Amino acid sequence: MRHKIPVIISSVGCFALATAAHGFTPQGEDTRYEVDGESFSGYFVSGGDNPKGSVIIVHDWDGLDDYERQRADMLAEEGYDAFAVDLFGEGNRPQAIEDKQAATRALYEDRERMRQLTLAGLAHAREVGAASRSVIMGYCFGGAVALEMARSGEADDIAAYTSFHGGLDTPEGQAYAADTAPIYIAHGGADDAVSLEDVATLATELEAAGVTYEIGIYSGAPHAFSVFGSDRYHERADQQSWATFQQWLAEML
């Protein structure tokens, strides 16, 4: 078992202004699915004939775009099936800040729907061939979703949860159970959306619940530090947190 390091982000999105990486060509395929008559469009890429497991990626407040596709491809190169879920709906990729805020707010205010859509994405991932044993991870808003799923315990065969510069608040009435799968948090030390006090609050909750966790705080890294091509990208923090995440996956899957 990993040592628990006592060391979060409120209901925020991802403030970086991101641009797609130059020359990126997706190696996987977009895949359409329906949830209660609504259309959604995820992205799947195989890790090969004998995948190590699967990683479910939850997008930030931009919706599923080439950032999540590129991360999925990077995971596939390491031998993991990767599936990026869509929580906003097919064709809903908000551009204006107010539209991004509205899209995330709707799900923050309807946690049951947030979980339902995540579970539907997980189910579709397995239908299209993703390995059953999974890690759920997310960026910014998606990090908050990953922790929502961790607290709920509703997803089956989940090895671990991961949040990169994601929302860390625990809503009133929710809590982490002792049998929650391990959690890895990657947080920027210079995050102006979530304080280090918030990080400590989460660690206290997880420690009290007996949950195995690891928290990496990367000095000088702002909120959204891992978003390629953005005005907040922090190369050292991105590379170090990604390397830790790879070690985490190797241990958990």
Side-chain angles (χ1 to χ4, degrees):
M1 182 187 303
R2 281 184 176 266
H3 179 64
K4 292 190 282 187
I5 305 173
V7 191
I8 276 194
I9 211 164
S10 56
S11 297
V12 297
C14 197
F15 297 131
L17 299 177
T19 56
H22 293 297
F24 170 65
T25 301
Q27 300 302 302
E29 295 182 351
D30 291 336
T31 174
R32 185 176 179 275
Y33 58 103
E34 290 194 354
V35 184
D36 293 337
E38 296 181 63
S39 295
F40 294 82
S41 181
Y43 175 78
F44 176 67
V45 56
S46 172
D49 293 336
N50 296 294
K52 301 173 183 177
S54 67
V55 181
I56 307 302
I57 302 171
V58 188
H59 56 75
D60 61 21
W61 72 349
D62 294 329
L64 197 172
D65 60 19
D66 274 353
Y67 178 68
E68 288 80 21
R69 292 186 183 92
Q70 186 167 2
R71 289 293 183 182
D73 285 2
M74 291 168 65
L75 289 165
E77 290 174 2
E78 298 297 324
Y80 301 96
D81 291 335
F83 184 82
V85 303
D86 172 16
L87 300 191
F88 288 173
E90 188 173 27
N92 184 10
R93 303 295 180 260
Q95 300 299 310
I97 289 179
E98 56 268 27
D99 294 333
K100 297 175 184 181
Q101 291 173 331
T104 54
R105 185 185 306 114
L107 292 174
Y108 281 128
E109 293 177 352
D110 188 348
R111 297 279 176 156
E112 183 176 357
R113 176 173 169 81
M114 177 191 284
R115 297 190 300 272
Q116 176 196 27
L117 294 179
T118 306
L119 289 170
L122 173 63
H124 184 68
R126 291 168 177 171
E127 287 173 4
V128 297
S132 294
R133 188 67 170 163
S134 307
V135 168
I136 296 178
M137 62 92 77
Y139 294 94
C140 297
F141 161 74
V145 175
L147 295 186
E148 177 73 19
M149 298 307 298
R151 289 187 297 270
S152 76
E154 292 178 5
D156 62 357
D157 211 1
I158 303 301
Y161 300 91
T162 297
S163 168
F164 281 88
H165 42 78
L168 305 178
D169 285 349
T170 299
E172 185 176 354
Q174 292 191 14
Y176 292 92
D179 61 354
T180 301
I183 295 171
Y184 166 54
I185 303 292
H187 181 80
D191 192 320
D192 55 4
V194 184
S195 70
L196 293 176
E197 287 78 9
D198 293 330
V199 177
T201 296
L202 176 63
T204 300
E205 290 180 45
L206 296 176
E207 194 70 33
V211 177
T212 297
Y213 66 95
E214 182 171 319
I215 297 176
I217 297 178
Y218 302 93
S219 63
H223 183 59
F225 65 80
S226 74
V227 182
F228 302 125
S230 78
D231 57 350
R232 294 188 175 219
Y233 181 69
H234 193 289
E235 184 176 20
R236 175 180 54 80
D238 174 40
Q239 292 180 351
Q240 290 181 352
S241 62
W242 189 254
T244 299
F245 181 51
Q246 295 306 302
Q247 295 171 0
W248 181 258
L249 289 176
E251 180 175 338
M252 297 298 159
L253 289 174

